[in-house]
Amino acid sequence: TFKQLVSLDSPWGRENQALGTGNVGNVRWSGMIGLLPFMEAAPLYQKIHNGFQGKRQGTVYNWGPYGSVGSIVGTSGGQVEGVLNPWSSEYPPNRTQLGISRCPSDPGKMQSNNRWNMARTNYAFCLADGQVGQNGASLDVDQVRGCFQASYTFGLQSCTDGTSNTIMFGEIATPETVPLNETGNNGATVIDSKIQGRFNYDLDLQADQRGIDPVLCRQKARGGIYPGSTRVWSKGGMRWLDRLVCFTGMTTINSPNSGSCTPTSNANGEGDGIYTGSSYHFGGAHVVMFDGSVRFITDSVDTANNNPNATAADYYSPGRTWNNGWLSTPNWGGPSPFGVWGAMGTKSGGESPLETPL
């Protein structure tokens, strides 16, 4: 319709909240908002985009766009309220569950506590095979090897590997329950935690800041759990309107239902990293390609480093070269070092046509 894909975030939300608020939420509204009119959810889109009248803690408010300032209905002075965000359970759209965004096999439900009393999603934007640049917000710099990026839009013409060979969305499972001791942004120490919806943060950045070693991350998970006593964050799919990758994104680095990790240096568990697709189906998870076809990807899909020319830096964050241990010049033309799975995530890696993985 608009000759372009949505960005990872909602530019309209950024624009509306930036007016006089200076609130961090202005870059956190998900690009899923822009998809609502195409998912038979136009009324919800209009509520978020234009504002609406609704309750907050029993009081009726006139809400502005994207949770922005509103007024209490019936007051002569039009009392101004503060901005709500994609992580505010008091904002009604955050609690509005879309049936189309939930997999019937996922048993997770909204929790009674305010922190997780929000609608979920089982389908996430594919961020391809890199683990840096995912949470950047640049209006004019291509930072990722997939077709979705914050504050940046691609057209289908950028998908030079072919729409039938490139993943658009991947399945992510949400946790059945959240540990009682998981408060704030500190995560929780759990014994034999299931991997569904949870990320492990025991791994630190490599010394040269390339990112997380994918092999070490894979070794954190065994038989669908993080064995032993492990610190985890329950965030996968837990906020459908939050554009951070840990909530609404997935990567094609580690195979489905294997380890997901981000650095311990990120105390919130919300930074760049490895976010693996997952499900409650036996043996794999679903993806949808840019041609609209759906495929079931097995947990044993090839993720081997098949690129003989890949550097050590490529293996951590493909497509990038490094200078003094930090990001230097992007190089987006090379094939993925993560086998068939990585190749399915890249939009222009130049890999040969792919067959459906078994």
Side-chain angles (χ1 to χ4, degrees), residues 3-328:
K3 310 302 180 185
Q4 63 181 359
L5 303 170
V6 295
S7 61
L8 195 61
D9 59 354
S10 171
W12 303 279
R14 182 189 328 113
E15 183 176 284
N16 277 286
Q17 280 205 329
L19 299 177
T21 69
N23 194 288
V24 69
N26 58 11
V27 293
R28 289 275 291 269
W29 293 104
S30 171
M32 289 190 177
I33 295 172
L35 298 177
L36 291 175
F38 303 93
M39 304 189 326
E40 298 185 355
L44 179 58
Y45 171 82
Q46 294 297 335
K47 288 178 67 174
I48 297 172
H49 192 62
N50 297 326
F52 63 98
Q53 189 176 98
K55 286 187 176 181
R56 176 189 181 187
Q57 296 180 344
T59 302
V60 180
Y61 288 89
N62 288 312
W63 290 112
Y66 298 86
S68 58
V69 292
S71 60
I72 297 177
V73 174
T75 59
S76 58
Q79 181 177 342
V80 174
E81 275 294 306
V83 176
L84 294 183
N85 301 291
W87 55 89
S88 300
S89 62
E90 296 175 68
Y91 184 53
N94 287 341
R95 302 192 308 274
T96 303
Q97 184 65 69
L98 294 175
I100 196 172
S101 67
R102 295 289 279 146
C103 175
S105 68
D106 192 310
K109 298 179 181 179
M110 285 190 284
Q111 308 293 297
S112 58
N113 62 72
N114 286 338
R115 183 172 181 238
W116 297 124
N117 188 25
M118 284 175 277
R120 303 186 181 194
T121 180
N122 286 115
Y123 309 110
F125 293 99
C126 178
L127 277 298
D129 61 355
Q131 49 175 295
V132 296
Q134 301 164 334
N135 284 315
S138 175
L139 295 174
D140 56 4
V141 179
D142 180 352
Q143 295 179 309
V144 297
R145 302 211 326 150
C147 284
F148 297 108
Q149 177 180 308
S151 305
Y152 191 97
T153 58
F154 296 93
L156 278 181
Q157 67 271 21
S158 69
C159 190
T160 58
D161 287 346
T163 56
S164 63
N165 295 325
T166 307
I167 298 174
M168 177 166 52
F169 286 93
E171 189 174 9
I172 55 174
T174 69
E176 295 179 54
T177 59
V178 178
L180 294 177
N181 61 338
E182 185 168 346
T183 58
N185 288 314
N186 297 320
T189 299
V190 181
I191 304 297
D192 295 342
S193 169
K194 290 184 178 181
I195 66 169
Q196 280 91 348
R198 299 201 172 113
F199 311 124
N200 183 291
Y201 294 78
D202 280 349
L203 297 173
D204 210 339
L205 285 169
Q206 305 302 307
D208 61 2
Q209 300 293 302
R210 290 176 300 192
I212 296 166
D213 187 331
V215 174
L216 292 179
C217 183
R218 291 171 196 169
Q219 293 172 350
K220 290 292 179 180
R222 286 288 183 273
I225 64 172
Y226 293 114
S229 177
T230 311
R231 180 159 289 275
V232 297
W233 272 253
S234 304
K235 296 196 174 185
M238 296 291 273
R239 298 176 187 164
W240 79 281
L241 281 177
D242 196 324
R243 70 96 172 160
L244 289 187
V245 183
C246 63
F247 294 110
T248 53
M250 54 84 67
T251 56
T252 55
I253 298 173
N254 290 343
S255 61
N257 297 306
S258 60
S260 297
C261 308
T262 62
T264 54
S265 56
N266 186 287
N268 294 335
E270 297 176 352
D272 292 340
I274 298 174
Y275 296 97
T276 303
S278 61
S279 78
Y280 286 92
H281 306 298
F282 178 77
H286 292 92
V287 298
V288 58
M289 314 301 283
F290 274 100
D291 67 349
S293 62
V294 175
R295 301 185 186 183
F296 184 76
I297 308 298
T298 65
D299 295 343
S300 59
V301 63
D302 171 42
T303 58
N305 187 347
N306 296 322
N307 180 8
N309 298 317
T311 65
D314 283 332
Y315 193 58
Y316 291 88
S317 294
R320 297 182 180 274
T321 58
W322 302 87
N323 181 21
N324 297 324
W326 197 243
L327 175 62
S328 179

